[in-house]
Amino acid sequence: MHKTRLMAAGIAMAALALAGCNKSDDTVAPQGAAPAAPAGPATAPLANADGTGRGLAPVTSAADKAAGRALIDKLRTAPNGPKTGYSRDQYGTAWSDKASGVPLSGNKCDTRDDILKRDGSNVQYKDKASCVVSAMTLPDPYTGKDIAFTKSKASTVQIDHIVPLSASWQMGADKWPAAKRMQLANDPLNLLAVDGPTNGGKGDSMPAAWLPPNPNIRCAYVIRYAQVSLKYDLPVTPADKTAMAGVCG
């Protein structure tokens, strides 16, 4: 009888230990969890010519500011035209993965999620097989604050077109083929994950009318604006060119 009780106790202890091991395993690697994307420093625009580097870092050195002014100086100027005929549809399906000739396109993830992944830290995904970003922390360059993003409150973070699509339409994109407009709308060089309300306040504004509220990022912002404009051979207004050069003065 005593031997039987000992055997039963041993079996119970083994079952308890096994259950404890299983519980520990579940805690470490729960079913369906996706690994977090590694965080990295933001990239300054002059070191990020293709837009694949993370976020937007301030431009601080005199040499880099001078290089930025030289880039801005290359911009053509022209008066802005009307918005007649403009609509978002003129730039293709929003966040399409099918834009040709731009980085990250064709990777089976939509452009919005590509940019969230690029710019965020501690990125989590909907599931192991998904590109859909469900949560992350965004070091927002426009406000200088960290923003907690979740898919359930997606509007807290928006993807800004550095050169607004409406602005590009007024500066000549109305005459482009549809494929080139789709490129501009999905090119990582022209996209930045930022604070949603701040981006809403920007709207379709060009640099003479709007700059990020964080003064430390303004020179980097106008350099990126110049990079996109030069890549797509878009002119800027004389007022915008003057404002941009002054920011990096």
Side-chain angles (χ1 to χ4, degrees):
M1 187 65 131
H2 179 65
K3 184 176 180 181
T4 301
R5 282 207 285 286
L6 284 175
M7 289 177 64
I11 292 169
M13 289 175 66
L16 193 60
L18 183 59
C21 288
N22 287 341
K23 183 176 181 180
S24 175
D25 287 345
D26 287 344
T27 302
V28 172
Q31 183 67 31
T43 314
L46 294 171
N48 190 20
D50 66 356
T52 58
R54 184 184 299 275
L56 187 66
V59 172
T60 56
S61 74
D64 284 347
K65 288 182 179 181
R69 291 194 302 273
L71 201 66
I72 292 165
D73 191 53
K74 295 178 181 179
L75 292 168
R76 295 188 297 113
T77 61
N80 58 308
K83 292 184 181 180
T84 306
Y86 168 76
S87 72
R88 178 61 179 82
D89 293 342
Q90 296 282 359
Y91 291 76
T93 303
W95 312 128
S96 173
D97 186 42
K98 297 180 180 179
S100 61
V102 295
L104 308 181
S105 187
N107 65 358
K108 299 182 180 180
C109 299
D110 72 37
T111 305
R112 175 180 167 81
D113 283 311
D114 281 334
I115 301 305
L116 291 174
K117 177 183 177 181
R118 183 197 69 183
D119 291 351
S121 62
N122 302 315
V123 177
Q124 301 293 326
Y125 300 94
K126 183 178 178 181
D127 55 57
K128 286 182 177 179
S130 176
C131 299
V132 177
V133 175
S134 60
M136 68 173 204
T137 300
L138 176 71
D140 173 40
Y142 285 1
T143 63
K145 300 177 182 178
D146 287 346
I147 299 171
F149 166 86
T150 60
K151 188 70 173 174
S152 61
K153 296 182 179 178
S155 62
T156 57
V157 170
Q158 295 179 10
I159 308 301
D160 181 33
H161 287 97
I162 304 290
V163 175
L165 301 186
S166 174
S168 74
W169 184 267
Q170 295 174 70
M171 301 310 296
D174 59 324
K175 300 176 180 64
W176 290 357
K180 186 175 180 180
R181 288 197 291 268
M182 180 181 264
Q183 287 175 342
L184 179 69
N186 293 279
D187 190 337
L189 187 66
N190 194 34
L191 299 172
L192 196 62
V194 298
D195 175 64
T198 301
N199 187 51
K202 172 186 173 179
D204 296 332
S205 299
M206 302 180 205
W210 187 91
L211 291 170
N214 176 11
N216 296 327
I217 208 68
R218 289 175 182 171
C219 181
Y221 173 82
V222 297
I223 290 174
R224 178 68 72 83
Y225 198 105
Q227 288 174 315
V228 176
S229 298
L230 289 168
K231 178 176 179 178
Y232 287 89
D233 193 27
L234 277 170
V236 297
T237 68
D240 287 327
K241 186 170 182 177
T242 298
M244 291 165 74
V247 168
C248 291

